[in-house]
Amino acid sequence: MGKYEDNLERIKKTIRCEPVDRVPCVPCANAYMARANNIVMKDYISDFDLACDANLKELDRLDADGTQSVIFSPYLLGTQWLSKTAIPGVDLGDDEMWQVVEIEENMKFEDYEKIKEMGWDAWQAKFIAEKCDNNWENLKPFFEANPRAYKKFYEAGYPCLADFLMITPFEYFCGGRSLGTFLVDDLFDEPELMHEIFDIVLEHNLKAYREQIKATNATAVWIGGWRTGPDLISPDMFDEFVYPSFKAYYDLCIDTGVIPVFHLDSNWTLVLDRFKNFEEKTFIMALDSKTDIRKCREVLGKNVCILGDVPCEMLTFGTPEEVTKYVNDLLDDIGPWGVIIASGCDIPSDAKPENVKAMADAAHNYLKDHPQA
């Protein structure tokens, strides 16, 4: 087998919580890749061949086992949250970070009735064209470059654990309606309407994602949890408005042979037991450093793969020695099998390259340094 096949098999064994030759490191990084290669942010998000080569250069330096991003465009964010996105070189300085703009209700309450009349696909296309800076048009260069980037990553030997994102209805409208308005005016005041709208969106997405899996020959997809964790909503509200989408997306992944990656930002400790409903050794819990990762292992047991969770602040402000100790302590407690080492969500743009290298090296050296594991 070649490098790609070796890395993918190592990752799949880790998902099955089987012994591997080394603990894999599969980073999630976009803006960091630009800064690590001294590329101005506006160039990184517009010259996708440049970005692809920069990403591969950093993965080679880390001797990574895979990636969670091949190339990236911040215009994707507006489609996921029905919001506008401030873009480096357009709305911001050339080397500033992109930012989702959520200071107003981009979507109005009456749009729910329009969704019922038009259907989700037609309404979403019209809304994004008119209210989200025509993001689908802005994304054409990204989608055109994507196959080239995947080819380069395959040839370089790096599988991707996030071929695309499965977005829950909750996330769309939380962004489009704005956080407070969506939670109070919509979910609390109009729960029956929201169930109806959510069902329309979910039915459409399941068909669209099935087609996308087939078209892209996807290996793994993110099932995203950003605003849906119990830091923001109660466990009961999660069960009512979010879990059905998670379950449907998980079932779709299993049915199509795709690895489900629950990408869970913020603190999910209170609902970790919900993931016991999914079959062991079939999915990844991707946690940032806000969820108690040791509690996750305790609740879900030794037969669930956990990805994470080196804190962003440690990668930026810590030392290589601190990062190494963090990874070693983590693998002592929840590994070594069934663990993929990565940052807590994205590697921050200002992370120190020596700290990122320490994270990868600690993962790769753990079994050599701990032969009793």
Side-chain angles (χ1 to χ4, degrees):
M1 295 194 297
K3 180 178 176 180
Y4 181 93
E5 291 76 16
D6 288 342
N7 279 336
L8 183 57
E9 180 60 21
R10 182 180 299 114
I11 290 169
K12 287 183 174 180
K13 283 185 175 180
T14 301
I15 295 169
R16 297 192 299 265
C17 300
E18 298 173 0
V20 288
D21 58 329
R22 71 179 191 179
V23 175
C25 178
V26 182
C28 178
N30 289 303
Y32 164 77
M33 297 294 199
R35 296 271 164 81
N37 286 276
N38 297 311
I39 297 173
V40 174
M41 209 64 73
K42 82 173 180 62
D43 296 333
Y44 181 80
I45 62 168
S46 59
D47 187 336
F48 295 111
D49 293 305
L50 174 71
C52 180
D53 291 343
N55 294 349
L56 288 171
K57 180 181 176 182
E58 180 64 6
L59 291 175
D60 285 343
R61 186 182 77 91
L62 301 177
D63 188 25
D65 301 89
T67 186
Q68 296 179 62
S69 179
V70 175
I71 54 174
F72 172 77
S73 170
Y75 286 115
L76 290 166
L77 301 174
T79 68
Q80 295 158 14
W81 279 288
L82 300 179
S83 302
K84 295 182 179 181
T85 308
I87 303 295
V90 179
D91 312 286
L92 304 169
D94 288 353
D95 202 33
E96 293 186 50
M97 275 296 302
W98 54 81
Q99 180 64 54
V100 177
V101 180
E102 295 184 82
I103 59 174
E104 61 183 14
E105 297 174 30
N106 202 36
M107 173 187 170
K108 302 302 180 183
F109 184 81
E110 51 265 30
D111 278 305
Y112 290 130
E113 289 300 322
K114 294 178 183 177
I115 291 171
K116 291 164 64 174
E117 295 169 5
M118 300 173 63
W120 170 245
D121 195 33
W123 177 87
Q124 183 193 33
K126 185 174 186 293
F127 184 86
I128 288 174
E130 295 177 355
K131 295 293 186 69
C132 300
D133 297 325
N134 202 15
N135 273 0
W136 290 127
E137 188 68 25
N138 293 326
L139 282 166
K140 283 183 176 179
F142 168 82
F143 288 123
E144 188 273 332
N146 218 34
R148 293 197 306 275
Y150 266 92
K151 184 174 185 293
K152 285 185 176 181
F153 268 70
Y154 177 81
E155 292 171 348
Y158 299 113
C160 184
L161 289 184
D163 289 324
F164 64 90
L165 310 184
M166 291 185 172
I167 308 296
T168 66
F170 188 109
E171 300 287 353
Y172 284 123
F173 301 122
C174 190
R177 291 281 288 143
S178 80
L179 177 60
T181 301
F182 173 68
L183 287 175
V184 177
D185 294 354
D186 300 352
L187 289 186
F188 283 105
D189 292 350
E190 301 286 346
E192 291 184 4
L193 173 63
M194 296 316 302
H195 279 299
E196 184 179 3
I197 296 297
F198 279 24
D199 287 346
I200 291 170
V201 176
L202 182 60
E203 181 181 5
H204 171 273
N205 280 1
L206 288 171
K207 294 177 181 177
Y209 290 154
R210 184 178 290 273
E211 293 173 1
Q212 193 170 353
I213 286 169
K214 183 177 180 181
T216 61
N217 194 28
T219 297
V221 300
W222 275 5
I223 300 173
W226 296 276
R227 298 287 177 77
T228 49
D231 259 0
L232 184 64
I233 61 175
S234 70
D236 286 345
M237 187 175 284
F238 171 82
D239 291 340
E240 182 177 358
F241 290 107
V242 182
Y243 180 80
S245 297
F246 273 25
K247 179 64 165 63
Y249 291 160
Y250 169 85
D251 289 344
L252 174 61
C253 289
I254 298 304
D255 185 55
T256 54
V258 170
I259 300 166
V261 181
F262 289 104
H263 180 91
L264 305 175
D265 289 347
S266 76
N267 189 344
W268 287 71
T269 306
L270 288 178
V271 293
L272 289 173
D273 62 323
R274 296 343 187 245
F275 296 89
K276 295 175 70 174
N277 296 326
F278 305 123
E279 184 179 351
E280 294 179 341
K281 303 183 179 183
T282 63
F283 64 97
I284 297 173
M285 293 288 285
L287 308 175
D288 69 18
S289 55
K290 300 301 181 284
T291 296
D292 186 337
I293 196 169
R294 289 163 175 82
K295 186 68 174 180
C296 182
R297 175 61 79 214
E298 176 187 331
V299 171
L300 299 185
K302 65 180 181 180
N303 290 322
V304 169
C305 178
I306 301 175
L307 182 151
D309 79 322
V310 181
C312 291
E313 56 269 27
M314 181 177 289
L315 292 173
T316 297
F317 301 110
T319 65
E321 293 75 21
E322 289 172 332
V323 172
T324 299
K325 184 179 187 306
Y326 188 92
V327 172
N328 284 335
D329 289 346
L330 186 63
L331 291 172
D332 284 344
D333 292 343
I334 71 168
W337 318 130
V339 179
I340 299 172
I341 292 297
S343 57
C345 194
D346 272 40
I347 297 174
S349 62
D350 55 354
K352 298 173 185 175
E354 60 268 27
N355 287 347
V356 179
K357 185 68 165 66
M359 176 179 71
D361 287 348
H364 294 154
N365 293 332
Y366 182 83
L367 295 176
K368 290 184 292 185
D369 296 339
H370 302 77
Q372 74 282 1

